[in-house]
Amino acid sequence: HGEWFRDRGRTSINVNTHDRAMVFLGDVEYGIPETLRNMPLGGVEEIRYYPPTDAVARFGSRYGGGVIKIVPRVE
């Protein structure tokens, strides 16, 4: 979804925040959205997007740009 990758500009004066969406693999921060290019799709069960307000509530104030959460496939 194109809106996930759109830069929303600075979201906080706090330097420890991410201004753009961050990728989580399970419950661990994986990196920036470009890291998805290296991820094999066969191991992905579900992709969830949390917009900025939901991401801050669920993952903390550092994630004001939103979160893309990858739920890995369990075999």
Side-chain angles (χ1 to χ4, degrees):
H1 192 282
E3 286 296 307
W4 297 355
F5 302 107
R6 185 173 61 89
D7 184 8
R8 292 165 184 81
R10 193 150 185 87
T11 58
S12 172
I13 59 172
N14 185 348
V15 295
N16 292 328
T17 62
H18 298 291
D19 293 339
R20 54 192 291 200
M22 295 299 293
V23 176
F24 271 69
L25 180 58
D27 293 323
V28 179
E29 186 177 323
Y30 188 72
I32 59 175
E34 286 78 11
T35 59
L36 293 172
R37 293 180 183 155
N38 301 325
M39 185 175 294
L41 292 178
V44 174
E45 178 73 27
E46 185 178 350
I47 300 174
R48 298 178 187 160
Y49 173 68
Y50 296 94
T53 53
D54 294 341
V56 167
R58 184 175 296 262
F59 298 96
S61 62
R62 294 183 54 210
Y63 301 100
V67 166
I68 301 168
K69 183 174 180 182
I70 307 297
V71 178
R73 179 169 293 169
V74 178
E75 297 192 29

